[in-house]
Amino acid sequence: MSKYMQIDIRLIPFYESPFEKRFPRLAILLRRMSYGSAVEKEISLYEMADILDAIVGNPDAPSDIRNAVAPYAERIMESKEIARGHLLARRLNDLDQELYRMEDVFEDLERSL
């Protein structure tokens, strides 16, 4: 590693319209589950995967919410793991394709809420 420089490859959120406008039902769910700061900060869907996983794993979360989110959270976390592998290996084209797949699952979740 260089003494005075570092390589920085990272994912940053990019929403053409505000997150809350694009995913209104998900925003309501996140606020209800005390994750409103994620909505306000408009974190990336990649980061939001961990929040969905936490909601599903939270025994205090209402069972109807856990049951509604669980199948999507599982698919999103699988996609995140694949994307992470691509990111670490610097396979950026593969990473981009996996992020598209992850976005599709988030859109499916939004429609189901």
Side-chain angles (χ1 to χ4, degrees), residues 7 9-11 46 80-96:
I7 298 170
I9 298 175
R10 58 192 165 119
L11 297 172
Y46 184 86
K80 181 179 179 175
E81 199 55 37
I82 293 167
R84 183 177 181 276
H86 293 319
L87 180 63
L88 292 174
R90 309 298 195 256
R91 292 186 301 264
L92 301 183
N93 287 335
D94 294 333
L95 171 61
D96 190 46

Side-chain angles (χ1 to χ4, degrees), residues 7-34:
I7 298 170
D8 183 16
I9 298 175
R10 58 192 165 119
L11 297 172
I12 57 171
F14 175 76
Y15 300 103
E16 289 181 355
S17 59
F19 173 83
E20 192 163 11
K21 192 170 191 167
R22 178 62 190 92
F23 295 97
R25 294 178 183 128
L26 182 55
I28 290 168
L29 177 122
L30 292 170
R31 280 191 166 70
R32 180 175 173 198
M33 298 304 300
S34 301

